């Protein structure tokens, strides 16, 4: 007797970087006015280098966005053909049942903290910052002498690479550097005020990537990240309070809603991107190549399972 099983699929979380998120939400990008998809902070334009950049210095009274208000703003924006508080208009994702257009998105820590804020290391080693007290360009050999001999356990897939190669570090390397290596490596080399500031980021990410997090720890991390953002402006200047730095303020709510950061990050999808690239063997019809090989893999798995349960195979294995 065949049994019918009815399954309901519910979309709960959308994981993407800060470039794709505003496109999906139909909002302003992070370098525009009210460019944060999680709060209504307008940001501010400040000079940086030869141009301008949008910075997000900490504001105590910033207001979190809500799904209901955002949908109303989208309707007004559509009717008046004018952006309302960073909302350009309706998003097709608003039609998905039970999906929250605001809390359904997360400030992916892989892009935000690891490939974003942790890259602050460039301020320490790039020669154009040689006049600043945080400059470590002359200490690279000393840093490497501590970093390179480290032998990580088997659950860390890559061995440490020189800080001079930081532009080529992968997200897993940034995680290992941030959470495991940086504190013992930088202690006594980076000036104390900058070192303690860096430790705030390390502590916050280390706690939020734990498997079990208490309400007290969440509150503590919230204060840690506030302190981190405030000190970033004081120590490095307003122009370096980037959108990624600002997004650390939203990590705690993300964990409160959906669990530890490791449970909802882009690591899984980024890893599979490499597998998809291996499916491409030519320059023509790339999407079609991926689809065919993906379907072939899935078919082989199904065929293997079906074959495994046949009497003929069992008979063959008995010999």
């Amino acid at each position: 007797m065949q049994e019918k099983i009815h399954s309901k699929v519910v979309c709960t979380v959308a994981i993407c970087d800060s470039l794709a998120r505003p496109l999906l939400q139909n909002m302003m990008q992070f370098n525009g006015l009210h460019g944060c998809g999680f709060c209504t902070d307008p940001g501010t334009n400040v000079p940086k280098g030869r141009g301008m950049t949008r910075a997000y210095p900490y504001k105590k009274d910033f207001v979190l966005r809500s799904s209901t208000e955002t949908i109303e703003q989208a309707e007004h924006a559509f009717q008046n053909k004018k952006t309302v508080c960073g909302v350009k208009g309706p998003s097709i994702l608003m039609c998905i049942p039970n999906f929250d257009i605001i809390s359904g998105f997360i400030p992916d820590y892989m892009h935000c903290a690891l490939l974003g804020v942790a890259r602050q290391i460039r301020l320490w080693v790039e020669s154009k910052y040689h006049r600043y007290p945080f400059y470590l360009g002359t200490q690279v050999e000393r840093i490497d002498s501590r970093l390179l001999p480290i032998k990580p356990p088997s659950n860390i897939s890559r061995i440490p690479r020189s800080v001079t190669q930081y532009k080529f570090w992968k997200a897993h390397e940034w995680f290992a550097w941030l959470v495991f290596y940086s504190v013992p490596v930088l202690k006594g080399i980076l000036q104390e005020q900058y070192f303690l500031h860096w430790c705030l980021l390390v502590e916050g990410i280390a706690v939020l990537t734990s498997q079990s997090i208490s309400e007290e720890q969440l509150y503590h991390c919230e204060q840690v990240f506030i302190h981190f953002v405030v000190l970033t402006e004081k120590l490095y200047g307003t122009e370096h309070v980037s959108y990624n730095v600002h997004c650390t303020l939203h990590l705690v709510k993300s964990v409160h809603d959906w669990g530890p950061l490791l449970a909802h990050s882009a690591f899984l999808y980024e890893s599979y991107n490499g597998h998809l690239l291996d499916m491409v063997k030519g320059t023509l019809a790339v999407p079609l190549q991926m689809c065919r090989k993906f379907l072939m893999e899935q078919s082989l798995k199904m065929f293997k399972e079906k074959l495994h349960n046949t009497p003929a195979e069992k008979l063959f294995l008995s010999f």
Side-chain angles (χ1 to χ4, degrees), residues 74-99:
E75 292 175 353
H76 287 302
F78 177 75
Q79 293 172 359
N80 301 320
K81 300 186 183 305
K82 185 178 180 181
T83 301
V84 179
C85 197
V87 181
K88 294 181 178 180
S91 165
I92 190 65
L93 299 186
M94 294 177 179
C95 300
I96 299 177
N98 303 315
F99 180 75

Side-chain angles (χ1 to χ4, degrees), residues 2 8 24-25 57 67 90 96 118 149-150 154 157 180 213 277:
Q2 293 183 346
K8 290 185 178 181
L24 295 174
Q25 291 179 305
S67 178
I96 299 177
I150 295 176
S154 58
S157 58
F180 302 123
I213 309 169
L277 289 175

Side-chain angles (χ1 to χ4, degrees), residues 55-295:
Y56 290 83
Y58 176 72
K59 295 179 181 177
K60 187 176 182 180
D61 57 348
F62 73 89
V63 180
L64 294 176
R65 295 182 185 270
S66 69
S67 178
T68 303
E69 184 181 29
T70 301
I71 293 174
E72 292 176 356
Q73 292 169 342
E75 292 175 353
H76 287 302
F78 177 75
Q79 293 172 359
N80 301 320
K81 300 186 183 305
K82 185 178 180 181
T83 301
V84 179
C85 197
V87 181
K88 294 181 178 180
S91 165
I92 190 65
L93 299 186
M94 294 177 179
C95 300
I96 299 177
N98 303 315
F99 180 75
D100 192 300
I101 194 64
I102 300 300
S103 63
F105 285 87
I106 53 105
D108 175 49
Y109 94 102
M110 191 194 85
H111 290 97
C112 162
L114 303 181
L115 298 176
V117 185
R119 282 180 179 263
Q120 184 173 286
I121 190 175
R122 67 180 180 80
L123 300 178
W124 302 338
V125 298
E126 289 186 359
S127 59
K128 64 180 179 180
Y129 298 106
H130 70 279
R131 295 184 179 180
Y132 291 87
F134 53 74
Y135 181 66
L136 297 178
T138 58
Q139 302 291 327
V140 169
E141 290 186 4
R142 188 179 174 192
I143 293 174
D144 281 350
S145 68
R146 295 182 179 182
L147 176 63
L148 299 182
I150 295 176
K151 296 181 179 180
S154 58
N155 62 327
I156 298 179
S157 58
R158 297 174 180 268
I159 61 174
R161 287 196 282 177
S162 169
V163 292
T164 60
Q165 300 293 312
Y166 77 90
K167 293 181 180 179
F168 308 104
W169 287 3
K170 303 297 183 182
H172 283 287
E173 291 176 280
W174 282 110
F175 179 79
W177 160 258
L178 177 66
V179 177
F180 302 123
Y181 307 152
S182 63
V183 172
V185 167
L186 295 174
K187 185 174 178 59
I189 297 179
L190 187 63
Q191 283 194 20
E192 185 176 7
Q193 57 182 340
Y194 296 97
F195 176 74
L196 294 177
H197 171 254
W198 177 261
C199 287
L200 293 172
L201 178 65
V202 175
E203 179 184 8
I205 297 301
V207 172
L208 295 185
T209 51
S210 303
Q211 293 186 356
S212 178
I213 309 169
S214 66
E215 289 289 343
E216 291 76 12
Q217 287 176 310
L218 285 178
Y219 176 77
H220 175 71
C221 285
E222 187 175 28
Q223 301 306 308
V224 163
F225 283 124
I226 290 175
H227 197 36
F228 175 77
V229 175
V230 171
L231 284 180
T232 299
E233 182 178 9
K234 291 182 178 180
L235 296 176
Y236 294 93
T238 305
E239 68 274 18
H240 292 299
V241 187
S242 63
Y243 179 64
N244 283 323
V245 172
H246 169 77
C247 273
T248 59
L249 298 172
H250 300 303
L251 289 175
V252 170
K253 185 178 186 303
S254 176
V255 171
H256 183 274
D257 292 343
W258 304 112
L261 294 177
L262 293 175
H264 51 81
S265 76
F267 270 110
L268 176 64
Y269 307 100
E270 292 289 338
S271 175
Y272 200 75
N273 281 344
H275 183 60
L276 290 176
L277 289 175
D278 290 337
M279 296 180 179
V280 180
K281 302 303 179 183
T283 57
L284 298 178
V286 171
L288 188 59
Q289 291 182 58
M290 289 184 177
C291 289
R292 282 178 175 173
K293 293 187 178 180
F294 176 79
L295 291 174

Side-chain angles (χ1 to χ4, degrees), residues 10-23:
V10 180
C11 180
T12 55
V13 182
I15 301 173
C16 53
D17 61 24
S18 297
L19 292 175
R21 191 185 307 119
L23 297 177

